[in-house]
Amino acid sequence: MRLIDLSMTIAQHPDDPGVRDIDRWTHDSGPERLGNAAKSLIQQIAEREGISPAPFLEKDHFPGGVFMSNEIVTLSVHGGTHVDAPYHYGPSSEGRPAKTIEEVPLEWCCGPGVRLSFRDKRALEVITADDVRRELDRIGHRLRLLDVVLIETGWSERWPDREYYSAHPAMSPGAIEVIVDHGVKLIGVDTAGFDLPTAHMIEQFVKTGDSRHLWPCHMFGREREYLQIERMAGLGRLPGPTGFTVFCAPVRVQGAGAGWARPVALIDQ
């Protein structure tokens, strides 16, 4: 079985508020940082054991003068490739309390993959219900219960250019409805989000006064229960529109509306 990674690396970017900081303990800086962090504990142990003066952890205490690496990440659950749970969209979905990410059934997170390609979509263009129907006709596939639908725009290839965040195309509630009507619970996209970029949505709201411009796909999740994988990558590496299995288990963050994930496609050779 061959595996294809469909995720993006979590990395800092000036236009991504989801990844706040990555504080790196390098191998070389580790001994000093550990020594400072453990200084109080060492002092307490030394006083209890009657050891004076208390030792201090230094490079010489580690082979080669280096310690283990460590990274302390300040990260939104929407940073990097992640799965949005119904709780992210609102407090309820389909008239029931919305599921948080740890409540999402794993059965929803894997299944036969179906890639729908919309590489012809331009910046800030929306994928419509008719677009989805035409693409399904083109690839000759009828959606089934618990298929995993992946929306390919090619936009992940633009990262780290600023337009990856500011100008990507988007789904529409109508396009999502066509998909979930067949029992699909998991839909992924290779853009920064299912909806148009935030600044563009707010600009349209200001110009028109119409709040329907604000996160329409996410608001649709209050009516229909489904999961979104945002910020996928590598969809062009799939062997075709079908013929692969997707597995995308999100990290279980208590009470959260999303969880980080590393989706993969499994190709049976």
Side-chain angles (χ1 to χ4, degrees):
M1 185 166 290
R2 182 164 62 97
L3 301 180
I4 298 178
D5 192 340
L6 303 179
S7 68
M8 293 187 68
T9 300
I10 292 174
Q12 290 180 276
H13 190 284
D15 295 312
D16 184 3
V19 185
R20 299 285 180 83
D21 182 56
I22 303 179
D23 180 19
R24 301 183 186 277
W25 288 40
T26 65
H27 296 112
D28 289 331
S29 68
E32 181 180 0
R33 296 188 69 161
L34 177 65
N36 290 328
K39 187 175 183 179
S40 177
L41 175 60
I42 291 173
Q43 186 66 42
Q44 292 176 27
I45 295 172
E47 290 177 359
R48 187 184 68 214
E49 299 296 328
I51 299 171
S52 182
F56 184 80
L57 281 172
E58 299 178 290
K59 288 188 175 184
D60 292 344
H61 295 119
F62 300 98
V66 296
F67 188 52
M68 298 175 289
S69 70
N70 188 23
E71 293 75 38
I72 302 171
V73 182
T74 305
L75 179 69
S76 161
V77 291
H78 301 277
T81 307
H82 62 276
V83 176
D84 285 346
Y87 186 78
H88 176 52
Y89 316 138
S92 64
S93 181
E94 296 188 2
R96 300 182 297 272
K99 290 179 177 64
T100 58
I101 198 65
E102 80 270 29
E103 295 171 333
V104 168
L106 274 179
E107 290 77 11
W108 292 7
C109 301
C110 61
V114 181
R115 182 186 64 189
L116 305 182
S117 185
F118 302 100
R119 282 182 168 265
D120 59 336
K121 287 295 179 181
R122 298 185 297 272
L124 303 177
E125 195 170 358
V126 172
I127 297 167
T128 67
D130 285 341
D131 289 331
V132 170
R133 294 188 187 99
R134 282 193 293 267
E135 177 64 4
L136 286 169
D137 287 342
R138 185 187 73 83
I139 66 174
H141 181 78
R142 180 175 177 82
L143 292 174
R144 298 165 295 181
L145 179 69
L146 295 183
D147 275 354
V148 177
V149 175
L150 307 180
I151 305 299
E152 181 195 18
T153 67
W155 216 257
S156 62
E157 299 163 11
R158 298 173 185 250
W159 196 94
D161 295 343
R162 298 194 69 174
E163 64 181 0
Y164 171 78
Y165 294 100
S166 65
H168 63 77
M171 289 290 279
S172 66
I176 297 170
E177 187 170 25
V178 169
I179 295 171
V180 299
D181 274 350
H182 294 274
V184 172
K185 288 293 189 181
L186 183 62
I187 309 173
V189 69
D190 62 356
T191 63
F194 262 59
D195 288 300
L196 290 169
T198 298
H200 179 78
M201 289 189 292
I202 292 176
E203 179 182 358
Q204 295 305 306
F205 166 69
V206 172
K207 287 180 176 179
T208 65
D210 189 347
S211 62
R212 289 177 297 181
H213 288 290
L214 302 175
W215 292 275
C217 293
H218 286 73
M219 296 303 106
F220 181 73
R222 299 181 180 186
E223 301 175 26
R224 302 292 297 275
E225 191 177 50
Y226 79 102
L227 313 176
Q228 299 177 168
I229 317 173
E230 295 183 314
R231 304 189 184 189
M232 300 187 76
L235 300 187
R237 297 170 56 208
L238 293 168
T242 57
F244 58 95
T245 300
V246 177
F247 184 74
C248 184
V251 173
R252 299 174 67 197
V253 182
Q254 185 177 27
W260 311 285
R262 189 171 185 176
V264 295
L266 290 75
I267 316 298
D268 190 355
Q269 294 183 323

